[in-house]
Structures are given as structure tokens and as C-alpha cells.
Amino acid sequence: MSAILDAVQEIAGDVRAWRRHLHSHPELSYQEHETTAFVEARLREFGIETQRPTPTGVVGIIDGAGPGRTVALRADIDALPIQEENDVPYRSTRDGVMHACGHDAHTAMLLGAARVLAQHRSRWRGRIKLLFQPAEELPPGGAVQFIEAGVLDGVDAIAGLHVMSNVPVGKAAIRPGTVMAHADKFTIEIEGKGGHGAAPHQACDPVVVASQLVLNLQTIVSRRVNPVQPAVVTVGAIESGTTFNVIPGWARLLGTTRCFDDQVRELLRRELERIAQHTCAMAGATCRVEYEYGYPALVNDPGVAQVLRDAAAAVLGPENVLDQEPILGGEDFAHYTRRVPGAFLFLGVGNEEIGAAYPHHHPRFNLDESALASGVKILVKTALDLL
Ligand code: NI
């Protein structure tokens, strides 16, 4: 094992260069054509067989010295519709598109792991599948199509990691069991009756209905969900009206719900619909509620999580592996862990001294690249230990 991990150190410069190349050429969800071609070209250079399960995204397959278990490692490859504000030599060359979540780093680290695992394939048995998955950022996520295309067929266990700018470089965090949330989206369209701002009695004002509805929705978490269960209902956008003296004909609310429990998820969906319908009826308005299931809750298999944790401890030192608190963010890796035992690790990349302290999805998000080699080692050791 130590010889294999030493080999990672020799390619650390390449991993950084790949990350920078990807960073300067970001592509949005389902448009990752150049990224896919780049990854596929590297995998072929390393002598790795490739498959294209979906129009973008690629899977590499490495067979070891003999039959055995099959382990999958996954990286997401897409970028975000954000204008980069970092002034770095490798800044995005594409207006309005940026790797602001670190998926460039995930892709580069998995390429590094692929190269080392292929180089040393005579030393291990079984099969390793490398999933370079598109469209993590677009719920319900590219994992859905990847799974439908069969990427998990024969897979005994799966592991993945996400860089985290709020975890200091040199550290990692993981938790067995539930760690990320069901993250769904809702749209409520209220149909009222427009009119003159001076004659509200002749109209049905959707702005007033929308305002009442926003407050009524708060009672779902405060009065309907069992208080020992975490849950969030957030209305993130209200659209209506054009000017000060006209009562508009409609209003639209956009929002998200978050929770950990499957039954709470159904309760949130049901109560949203019920409260929206009744609030509108009370005012004589009507509405249409659309509830879109996004990412399911991410539940780490305790066994795989322990292997990941041990790998991180071996690479970073046991004192640097933290217990991750559950968070109400969403991640499409959860689709994999609902089907095969899997776990997901957070790799610290934060470093205030070099300006890598902005949150994910921020125009100045960046990461401490010295974490990349550690990430590759953790992936390599995890894959070999899971075999
Ligand atoms: Ni991400």
C-alpha cells in the first residue's frame, strides 16, 4: 500500500494541472462535452477502458490481477452559472460559468486515483469503476441517469468525496448514517383577479394571498412536524405585479424544503399542498402546487464510512478526521447510497491565508490545492481497502 500511496506524490503536479485546466474550462450541467472528452483522453492514456453511459460523463473500468469485488469511486464534473471574480491565472475563460463548488478538484483527484490504481493493477484483485458523473448541480442530479444506464451493475460498494471550504486544509470530516438532507423544490402559482389599486373590493389580490401563504407555510415546521425532526420550509422567491397602483392577476412562490426523514418529506409535501389550497380558497383565489423531488437524504453506510474514515486518518493523521455534523444541504451522491453501500467524505480545502475561505457557490470560491494529493491518496486507499 505505501508504495502505491508514494506514487500519488509523484503525480501531484499533474493533478493540480488537470484541476487548473478544468477550472479554466468550466461547463454547465449536461453540457460537459469538453470535460468528458478531456477525462476520457486521460483515462485512455493511462490504459483504462472507458464507457459513455450518457451523452456527457464517462466511466473508467480497471480490472486488477484477478477476480474479486467491484468498487466504484465517483466524481461530479459540472460547473455553475456564476461569473468568477477570482483573479488567478487559471480563472474561468467562460463568461458566466465557473467551477464554484470544487467539482474541478473532484474530477482531477479521481483522475489521479485512476492513474495510480491502473499503474499498480497487478497488485490488487477485483474491479474498480471510476464514475465521472455529469450534472450534480441540477436536481435530481445526473446520478439518476447514470444509475439508469447501469453504472452500479455489479458494484459492491461506492465512495466519494466533496471538498469543503469551511473545513481547514489538512482535515477531513465524515459521519456514519444520515449526513445530508432530502432537498426538494416547490412552486405555487396563485391565480387571483387583477384590478385597479384603488378598488380592491372588485379584485382578488394575489399579493395579499401570497403574503398570508408565506406565513401559513411557517406553521408546517412549527406545528405539524414532530419537533425532534429537523425540517426547513423556505420561500426563496415571490414574483408578482408590475407597478404601484395595479392589483396583479397572479403571484408565484418558489421555495425549497429540507429534512432527513422519508416520512417527514411526505408530510412536508402534503401540508404544502393543503395549506396552499386552503389559504387560496379562503380569499377566493385558486392555486397550482408543483412539488419536485430533488436529492434524497444522503445516508452513509457505517461500514463504508469507517473504511473512508480510516483512509483519511492514515493520510491526514487520526486527529485531523472530524465528526461531521448533519447538514441540510443536498447532494446527488445520495442516489448511489440508496442502492449500494456507500459513503461520502468532506475534504478540508479552506485556507484563509490564500483567500480560500469563501463559501461554495460564491464568485470567489477557491481551494487550497495542497489538499489534492491527500484527496487522491484517500480515494486510492479507500478503493483498495473496500476491495
Ligand atoms: Ni458540489
Side-chain angles (χ1 to χ4, degrees), residues 76 101 103 136-137 162:
D76 40 13
C101 196
H103 299 187
E136 192 283 327
E137 298 288 1
H162 203 299

Side-chain angles (χ1 to χ4, degrees), residues 82-87 98 100 355-359 361-367:
I82 292 174
Q83 179 67 41
E84 176 156 19
E85 289 175 12
N86 284 316
D87 186 18
M98 175 190 177
Y358 289 90
H361 296 205
H362 188 282
R364 295 192 67 187
F365 172 82
N366 207 346
L367 50 94

Side-chain angles (χ1 to χ4, degrees), residues 39-40 43-44 47-53 57-63 70-73 110-111 114 121 127-133 146 151:
V39 169
E40 190 167 48
L43 292 174
R44 294 208 174 138
I48 296 173
E49 179 196 334
T50 62
Q51 292 176 349
R52 295 279 286 266
V58 56
V59 174
I61 296 172
I62 319 172
D63 283 318
T70 297
V71 168
L73 298 174
L110 189 56
L111 276 175
R121 69 204 314 167
R127 166 174 280 190
I128 295 175
K129 290 178 96 169
L130 311 145
L131 313 186
F132 293 89
Q133 177 221 297
F146 244 35
V151 301

Side-chain angles (χ1 to χ4, degrees), residues 27-29 32 76-80 99 103 134-138:
E27 292 173 299
L28 295 174
S29 306
E32 311 95 333
D76 40 13
I77 65 173
D78 56 326
L80 286 156
H99 269 295
H103 299 187
E136 192 283 327
E137 298 288 1
L138 213 58

